Amino acid sequence: MGIFLFVVLTSSIVSAFSLSDLGGSKKRKKQEGFATVDVGSLRRQMKIYKEAEVRLRQLDGEYSEYSKVILAEQNSRTNELMAKYEQAGMGKSDSENRILLEVYKEKAASLAQEAQNKLDAKQEELNIKRQEIEKDSRAKVWQVIRIVAREEGIRYVIDKESGLFVERDVTSQIIAAEKKQEDKKKRWF
């Protein structure tokens, strides 16, 4: 019989995850009952989430630096374009200057669109990386939750914020299990 983990992402969205046997010969308690987990506490205390947050902030910084470079480049090119317009307009009639101005406005708009396209492409690239980081951290946390659920004989783990009353809270066990895994990794290296 499989174990199921319910994590309420919001009060109206529920995702179910099958906790199938990971193998091994350890005897587990019979799975029964419910437990809650304080997802907010997990986010604040688990190393997995802290590392993910650092990586996400690095992506934000990368975009900020990239946008500064692109906007400076676009500003420089626009200034060069205006200098060319002013030079080209010297000695021209008002009607010729109006036509010339329209041509240069189109070129300036094209430069602005080019810069925006570069920023949009970078944002899309970083959004994909962001999703990968979030997916990876969720998978690692769910793995720890699965381990605790098996060890504690819990069939369902529900986000505390769901509003359902469940006496048993396994937040501290999940945090402790992550630390235990980290300690094991350190011993191997």
Side-chain angles (χ1 to χ4, degrees):
M1 177 181 284
I3 302 171
F4 293 92
L5 165 68
F6 287 93
V7 178
V8 179
L9 300 175
T10 66
S11 59
S12 61
I13 301 174
V14 177
S15 299
F17 304 94
S18 174
L19 300 173
S20 60
D21 187 8
L22 292 178
S25 60
K26 292 183 181 176
K27 290 187 177 183
R28 289 182 294 278
K29 295 179 183 177
K30 181 180 175 189
Q31 268 82 45
E32 53 188 48
F34 290 83
T36 60
V37 64
D38 184 345
V39 175
S41 289
L42 295 182
R43 289 191 177 278
R44 288 187 302 276
Q45 296 180 42
M46 290 184 79
K47 185 177 180 182
I48 295 167
Y49 280 127
K50 290 176 182 179
E51 288 172 348
E53 187 60 35
V54 167
R55 291 170 52 203
L56 293 173
R57 280 195 302 269
Q58 288 171 341
L59 291 180
D60 291 341
E62 183 179 333
Y63 181 77
S64 178
E65 290 302 314
Y66 182 79
S67 64
K68 287 176 186 176
V69 169
I70 294 300
L71 294 175
E73 177 184 297
Q74 194 263 343
N75 189 34
S76 174
R77 291 174 70 189
T78 301
N79 287 340
E80 288 174 15
L81 185 65
M82 286 305 298
K84 287 179 183 178
Y85 162 72
E86 289 172 358
Q87 188 177 16
M90 292 181 144
K92 305 268 183 183
S93 69
D94 285 345
S95 62
E96 289 174 318
N97 274 334
R98 278 190 289 258
I99 293 170
L100 192 58
L101 179 62
E102 289 304 313
V103 169
Y104 278 90
K105 280 183 180 179
E106 286 178 19
K107 288 181 180 180
S110 175
L111 288 175
Q113 187 60 49
E114 182 182 324
Q116 187 62 51
N117 290 345
K118 287 179 181 179
L119 291 173
D120 291 345
K122 186 66 168 182
Q123 186 66 53
E124 182 62 30
E125 171 193 330
L126 296 177
N127 282 341
I128 291 168
K129 288 181 181 180
R130 178 178 295 280
Q131 290 170 355
E132 290 171 3
I133 291 168
E134 291 170 351
K135 180 181 176 184
D136 182 52
S137 64
R138 274 193 311 270
K140 289 177 181 176
V141 169
W142 290 337
Q143 183 63 33
V144 175
I145 292 171
R146 285 182 186 108
I147 291 168
V148 170
R150 281 198 185 92
E151 288 174 357
E152 298 290 323
I154 299 167
R155 186 165 188 170
Y156 303 100
V157 176
I158 305 166
D159 184 354
K160 200 175 214 172
E161 296 297 316
S162 68
L164 298 174
F165 176 75
V166 177
E167 284 186 37
R168 191 168 183 191
D169 186 315
V170 292
T171 304
S172 60
Q173 289 95 322
I174 293 168
I175 293 167
E178 181 204 29
K179 289 179 182 174
K180 186 177 176 182
Q181 283 182 346
E182 285 298 315
D183 290 343
K184 284 182 182 179
K185 286 180 188 176
K186 288 178 184 176
R187 282 187 229 148
W188 284 100
F189 296 106

